Amino acid sequence: GAGVSQSPRYKVAKRGQDVALRCDPISGHVSLFWYQQALGQGPEFLTYFQNEAQLDKSGLPSDRFFAERPEGSVSTLKIQRTQQEDSAVYLCASSLVMSGRGSYEQYFGPGTRLTVT
Amino acid sequence: SQQGEEDPQALSIQEGENATMNCSYKTSINNLQWYRQNSGRGLVHLILIRSNEREKHSGRLRVTLDTSKKSSSLLITASRAADTASYFCATDAGGSGAGSYQLTFGKGTKLSVIP
């Protein structure tokens, strides 16, 4: 079956430009996560959606970062006025929701590699 | 911030040998997961172990969890060249009020299996 897809796979932006990164989660997955992965590091949490509701955005590094999931499926991560420190791979993951204690595995997309020049 | 620390940072072994990677974490967890990442690709889930479990197997993988020491290990037996990748542990502390189940990753172990 289709996995998580992300587009574009690569994006080069000049400093100050706005970018939009798209994520198509696995059909039926209620939970959607965005992570940022710097070179040589593990992914770091940015934000989480349950359906269309953004329930946790504690990892967004600044108010230049904005994410939405208006219909509870496709999500867009937008970065305004990009800076060089925004250069990273942005990973999207989706998961089934589990009530109570514990969680399901997260299925990751291939990521979007953003380079800000 | 990174929760887990994998050890070693890099590991090089011959095909057929076993590879052991360790992970330490700082706070209480609901479960711990191991992921693999091939160069330039997304992460692939390998195995999930819950906080009330001590050991779990999946094919050539064996994971242990010691919550008293806040540590876990991943053993890959009879390694193959295709196992070459970075391996990350990730912890889930459970719903932070909103039930986000966000994962907190370590920095990873880079495994090279030489044919």
Side-chain angles (χ1 to χ4, degrees), chain B residues 82-98:
Chain B
D83 295 329
T84 295
S86 291
Y87 292 81
F88 295 90
C89 68
T91 54
D92 165 13
S96 52

Side-chain angles (χ1 to χ4, degrees), chain A residues 15-48:
Chain A
R15 191 173 57 180
Q17 280 185 334
D18 297 348
V19 298
L21 312 179
R22 177 187 169 108
C23 172
D24 282 84
I26 293 173
S27 178
H29 278 194
V30 173
S31 296
L32 186 145
F33 303 81
W34 283 98
Y35 294 86
Q36 180 190 59
Q37 186 175 22
L39 188 65
Q41 302 291 315
E44 295 206 3
F45 170 79
L46 293 177
T47 187
Y48 161 72

Side-chain angles (χ1 to χ4, degrees), chain B residues 1 7 20-21 40 46 50 53 62 65 74 77 86 98-99 101-103 105:
Chain B
S1 61
D7 166 50
T20 299
M21 288 159 271
L46 295 176
R50 301 200 184 280
E53 298 175 309
R62 172 178 169 253
L65 178 64
L74 170 68
T77 60
S86 291
Y101 304 118
Q102 60 171 275
L103 294 177
F105 287 84

Side-chain angles (χ1 to χ4, degrees), chain A residues 3-4 11 20 30 53 77 82 88 94 99:
Chain A
V4 177
K11 177 70 179 176
V30 173
L77 176 67
T82 52
S94 69
S99 60

Side-chain angles (χ1 to χ4, degrees), chain B residues 68-87:
Chain B
S68 67
K69 295 181 180 178
K70 292 187 169 58
S71 67
S72 173
S73 68
L74 170 68
L75 168 67
I76 304 174
T77 60
S79 63
R80 305 167 182 168
D83 295 329
T84 295
S86 291
Y87 292 81

Side-chain angles (χ1 to χ4, degrees), chain B residues 2-72:
Chain B
Q2 312 278 186
Q3 151 85 305
E5 290 284 338
E6 283 90 344
D7 166 50
Q9 290 187 347
L11 179 62
S12 183
I13 59 173
Q14 295 289 327
E15 201 167 30
E17 293 181 338
N18 295 342
T20 299
M21 288 159 271
N22 303 296
C23 166
S24 60
Y25 57 92
K26 298 172 185 171
T27 62
S28 296
I29 61 171
N30 273 347
N31 63 60
L32 184 145
Q33 304 181 39
W34 284 90
Y35 285 81
R36 184 186 73 222
Q37 185 176 39
N38 290 85
S39 179
R41 312 279 280 278
L43 285 90
V44 174
H45 181 266
L46 295 176
I47 197 165
L48 180 154
I49 185 166
R50 301 200 184 280
S51 59
N52 61 354
E53 298 175 309
R54 292 296 168 257
E55 188 170 312
K56 203 159 183 181
H57 297 253
S58 177
R60 294 184 295 114
L61 305 180
R62 172 178 169 253
V63 168
T64 62
L65 178 64
D66 186 336
T67 53
S68 67
K69 295 181 180 178
K70 292 187 169 58
S71 67
S72 173

